[in-house]
């Protein structure tokens, strides 16, 4: 069995490379290294079943030989990244998804789209179930990511319905763990880094907005179960344990033993007020349930950041 993972040198992509290799597959990792890094896959170099191709998937993709699975994980994924890379974000979600779906169709491979909770925008339904259509501002700063992913979902369903491509859509909620970029701007790396370096923790707004954080190993397990299932409609994957951002900051301070203080900064435009996945569907269809609580997950993540800071 042979799999291609776009964005394979990114945070989630690289963990998926590891997992698919462990499952016995041959893995081709494709990445333009815009936000990914070869550091994340350096340990795989030289492995017989692993290959890295430095490539931008918004262009026509040629891959020699057969493919059984195509996982499309390429995209900037941090709000800071997609604000700085708005055109690339739109292109990889739209043009990139088109190219990768075309490749999957040509190879008769099963295609999995890494979609996102951002398709729900600033949600008016709570928690968010798959049948909620979302509340997205198409022209706001986050629109470049949200709309690209919504388009990607629509295109995936079109290839499934019109061309009969075997497809999966994972709606991924906030996920964290080792290999997140130190300065990717998301709340988990920001707070851990700030706490470890004795800097103030930058809580945006009053910190009452909520997020639900999933440890990377749980997420990868969910992706694999979805990939090997028959479910072609979108499935939420995330941990439903919901925290306010200010409580999350306190948790990071406690676990790092940091003396840093909390500093309130302006709330970014269109920042979702609440976010919590309804994972009933994943529980029922995939028999999947996240196992790692926030404290346990942070205890596995903080040492990674300590090590990276020391380098
Ligand atoms: N946030 C924060 N301080 C930071 C970074 C993020 O308070 O230094 C907040 C942000 O406003 C949002 C939440 O934390 O409400 C999660 O932000 P993140 O960038 O991780 O991703 P999002 O869930 O918004 O896509």
């Amino acid at each position: 069995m042979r799999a291609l993972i776009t964005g394979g040198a990114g945070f989630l992509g690289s963990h998926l490379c590891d997992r698919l290799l462990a499952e016995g597959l041959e893995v081709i990792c494709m990445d333009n290294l815009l936000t990914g890094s070869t550091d994340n896959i350096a340990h795989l170099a030289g492995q017989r079943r692993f290959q890295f191709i430095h490539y931008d998937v918004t262009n026509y993709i040629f891959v020699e030989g057969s493919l059984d699975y195509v996982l499309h994980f390429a995209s900037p994924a941090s709000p800071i990244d997609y604000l700085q890379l708005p055109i690339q974000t739109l292109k990889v979600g739209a043009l990139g998804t088109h190219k990768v779906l075309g490749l999957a169709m040509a190879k008769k491979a099963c295609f999995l789209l890494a979609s996102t909770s951002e398709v729900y925008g600033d949600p008016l339904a709570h928690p968010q179930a798959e049948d909620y259509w979302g509340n997205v501002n198409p022209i706001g700063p986050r629109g470049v990511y949200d709309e690209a992913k919504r388009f990607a979902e629509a295109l995936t369903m079109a290839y499934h319905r019109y061309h009969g491509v075997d497809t999966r859509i994972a709606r991924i909620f906030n996920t964290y763990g080792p290999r997140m970029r130190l300065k990717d701007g998301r709340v988990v790396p920001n707070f851990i880094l700030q706490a470890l370096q004795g800097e103030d923790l930058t809580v945006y707004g009053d910190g009452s907005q909520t997020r639900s954080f999933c440890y990377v190993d749980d997420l990868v397990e969910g992706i694999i179960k979805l990939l090997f299932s028959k479910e072609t409609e979108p499935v939420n994957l995330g941990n439903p344990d919901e925290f306010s951002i200010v409580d999350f900051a306190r948790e990071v301070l406690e676990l790092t033993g940091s003396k840093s203080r909390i500093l309130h900064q302006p709330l970014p435009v269109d920042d979702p007020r609440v976010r919590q996945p309804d994972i009933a569907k994943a529980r029922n269809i995939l028999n999947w349930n996240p196992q790692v609580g926030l404290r346990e997950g942070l205890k596995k993540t903080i040492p990674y950041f300590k090590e990276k800071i020391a380098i």
Side-chain angles (χ1 to χ4, degrees), residues 79 142 174 186-187 190 202-204 209 211 245 271 275:
R142 299 175 86 103
N174 294 67
R186 280 184 281 192
V187 70
N190 269 12
T202 53
V203 170
Y204 301 158
Q209 71 272 30
R211 293 295 185 272
I245 292 302
D271 197 283
R275 184 179 290 155

Side-chain angles (χ1 to χ4, degrees), residues 14-279:
S14 65
H15 283 282
L16 276 162
C17 287
D18 288 345
R19 179 61 190 267
L20 289 173
L21 285 166
E23 298 274 335
L25 278 82
E26 202 177 306
V27 173
I28 303 172
C29 163
M30 194 171 268
D31 204 300
N32 69 352
L33 302 178
L34 190 62
T35 57
S37 166
T38 49
D39 289 353
N40 293 334
I41 48 167
H43 60 289
L44 301 176
Q47 280 210 23
R48 195 176 43 81
R49 284 186 286 110
F50 180 75
Q51 186 189 349
F52 171 63
I53 302 175
H54 186 188
Y55 194 71
D56 178 347
V57 297
T58 61
N59 300 305
Y60 180 85
I61 308 166
F62 174 77
V63 173
E64 216 169 317
S66 66
L67 285 174
D68 303 285
Y69 299 102
V70 174
L71 295 88
H72 185 31
F73 276 72
S75 177
S78 149
I80 297 282
D81 285 341
Y82 51 75
L83 294 187
Q84 283 167 0
L85 304 164
I87 314 284
Q88 289 96 326
T89 302
L90 281 158
K91 281 178 73 178
V92 74
L95 306 180
T97 303
H98 182 227
K99 299 292 178 287
V100 181
L101 273 165
L103 176 73
M105 182 168 75
K107 300 287 185 185
K108 298 188 170 47
C110 174
F111 171 89
L112 185 142
L113 173 70
S115 186
T116 167
S117 53
E118 283 283 327
V119 300
Y120 301 123
D122 189 4
L124 304 177
H126 193 69
Q128 295 77 53
E130 290 86 349
D131 58 4
Y132 176 54
W133 291 352
N135 177 39
V136 170
N137 174 6
I139 57 164
R142 299 175 86 103
V144 298
Y145 184 65
D146 302 10
E147 295 296 7
K149 288 291 188 182
R150 288 168 68 96
F151 175 85
E153 286 199 7
L155 196 62
T156 300
M157 291 312 292
Y159 268 68
H160 173 65
R161 294 191 181 115
Y162 188 77
H163 287 306
V165 177
D166 190 19
T167 57
R168 314 276 181 270
I169 297 175
R171 289 190 179 148
I172 301 170
F173 285 65
N174 294 67
T175 301
Y176 68 99
R179 298 190 198 155
M180 287 188 101
R181 241 168 55 234
L182 260 60
K183 301 219 161 151
D184 95 348
R186 280 184 281 192
V187 70
V188 176
N190 269 12
F191 284 2
I192 295 179
L193 204 64
Q194 289 161 346
L196 292 177
Q197 297 187 322
E199 292 166 10
D200 293 341
L201 267 61
T202 53
V203 170
Y204 301 158
D206 63 4
S208 63
Q209 71 272 30
T210 68
R211 293 295 185 272
S212 311
F213 299 100
C214 186
Y215 187 65
V216 62
D217 289 356
D218 280 334
L219 197 278
V220 166
E221 179 69 18
I223 297 286
I224 295 297
K225 284 193 158 174
L226 176 60
L227 184 68
F228 294 159
S229 79
K230 293 261 173 271
E231 182 58 40
T232 56
E233 300 273 319
V235 179
N236 286 340
L237 294 176
N239 189 321
D241 286 347
E242 186 182 14
F243 297 84
S244 72
I245 292 302
V246 75
D247 282 347
F248 176 66
R250 291 193 189 110
E251 195 76 30
V252 171
L253 287 176
E254 196 188 317
L255 288 175
T256 51
S258 170
K259 299 267 174 291
S260 294
R261 287 176 313 180
I262 287 174
L263 174 74
H264 291 274
Q265 289 193 346
L267 194 66
V269 176
D270 293 339
D271 197 283
R273 287 291 316 149
V274 288
R275 184 179 290 155
Q276 183 191 33
D278 178 333
I279 58 165

Side-chain angles (χ1 to χ4, degrees), residues 274-297:
V274 288
R275 184 179 290 155
Q276 183 191 33
D278 178 333
I279 58 165
K281 187 171 178 183
R283 280 189 178 126
N284 291 336
I285 295 180
L286 309 178
N287 192 24
W288 173 80
N289 209 22
Q291 303 295 317
V292 183
L294 184 64
R295 286 191 144 237
E296 192 189 342

